[in-house]
């Protein structure tokens, strides 16, 4: 057995963690529950039953440990990549390309004049706080110095222990 080989086998036992499959060698291989399908399977009995003939792929074969790891997931082929841009440019008809063989660049947008001044906002009523300092964003407000917190004297070891014990006491 070699990694990547695709074989047919017969399910000989189904357990909570997977299914054992006889692939024609002296040792049954294990298909773990995570390798039974692309979709989530809670119970392996949802996917296979004893006696089913299944196609498996060899993930690993440990001859000394007498372990064979198998998978029933379909092999995923890499999707074909689109051709590179250079090849796409070469496929463009010559009429769409410039004299130098390249696509012509876009013309720059016309420059616009200066932006017109915004009209002044109407005066707000005295009770309306929307435009006051209280509603400015935090980064727009000037920084104010916070009063320094009074320094507490360091706790003794016994006080720290009592504080921790009070935090972790269970209340019944």
């Amino acid at each position: 057995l070699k990694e990547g080989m695709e074989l047919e086998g017969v399910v000989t036992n189904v357990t909570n963690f997977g299914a054992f499959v006889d692939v024609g060698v002296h040792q049954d291989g294990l298909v773990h529950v995570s390798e039974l399908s692309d979709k989530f399977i809670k119970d392996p009995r949802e996917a296979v039953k004893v006696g089913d003939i299944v196609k498996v792929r060899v993930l690993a074969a440990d001859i000394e440990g007498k372990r064979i790891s198998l998978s029933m997931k379909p092999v995923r082929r890499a999707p074909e990549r689109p051709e590179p841009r250079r090849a796409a440019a070469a496929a463009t008809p010559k009429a769409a390309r410039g004299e130098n063989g390249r696509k012509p660049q876009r013309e720059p947008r016309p420059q616009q004049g200066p932006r017109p001044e915004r009209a002044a906002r109407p005066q707000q009523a005295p009770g309306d706080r929307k435009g006051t300092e209280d509603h400015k964003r935090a980064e727009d407000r000037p920084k104010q110095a916070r009063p320094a917190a009074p320094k507490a004297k360091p706790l003794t070891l016994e006080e720290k222990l009592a504080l921790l014990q009070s935090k972790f006491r269970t209340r019944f």
Side-chain angles (χ1 to χ4, degrees):
L1 290 177
K2 295 181 183 175
E3 290 183 25
M5 287 179 70
E6 293 186 9
L7 309 165
E8 272 194 8
V10 179
V11 177
T12 57
N13 193 12
V14 181
T15 64
N16 290 336
F17 53 86
F20 288 93
V21 178
D22 180 13
V23 289
V25 294
H26 63 326
Q27 186 71 33
D28 287 355
L30 172 66
V31 180
H32 190 266
V33 67
S34 64
E35 294 292 331
L36 284 172
S37 174
D38 283 337
K39 298 176 185 170
F40 175 75
I41 294 178
K42 188 173 184 177
D43 183 15
R45 292 164 190 85
E46 296 174 11
V48 292
K49 64 180 188 265
V50 175
D52 283 354
I53 298 173
V54 293
K55 286 190 177 184
V56 293
R57 185 176 70 252
V58 179
L59 296 178
D62 180 16
I63 297 169
E64 292 175 15
K66 295 185 178 181
R67 294 181 181 184
I68 303 170
S69 298
L70 304 171
S71 174
M72 287 176 47
K73 289 183 178 180
V75 179
R76 291 189 179 174
R77 307 279 183 222
E80 292 186 25
R81 294 183 178 173
E83 56 185 52
R85 288 184 176 208
R86 284 173 282 180
T92 309
K94 287 187 177 182
R97 290 186 258 156
E99 297 96 26
N100 59 2
R102 296 183 181 174
K103 285 187 176 182
Q105 293 183 353
R106 293 185 190 173
E107 294 184 23
R109 293 184 179 182
Q111 292 291 330
Q112 296 178 354
R115 290 186 174 181
E117 293 295 324
R118 293 186 177 182
R121 291 187 178 173
Q123 193 66 23
Q124 295 178 351
D128 188 12
R129 295 179 39 186
K130 195 170 188 180
T132 62
E133 294 289 321
D134 294 340
H135 282 75
K136 282 188 176 181
R137 291 187 302 180
E139 55 268 7
D140 294 341
R141 277 188 247 141
K143 302 256 183 199
Q144 296 177 354
R146 292 185 180 174
K151 289 190 176 183
K153 73 172 197 176
L155 297 174
T156 63
L157 189 59
E158 290 81 18
E159 291 171 333
K160 288 180 182 178
L161 183 61
L163 181 66
L164 282 171
Q165 287 175 343
S166 68
K167 284 185 177 181
F168 292 103
R169 281 196 185 118
T170 56
R171 296 179 187 149
F172 294 99

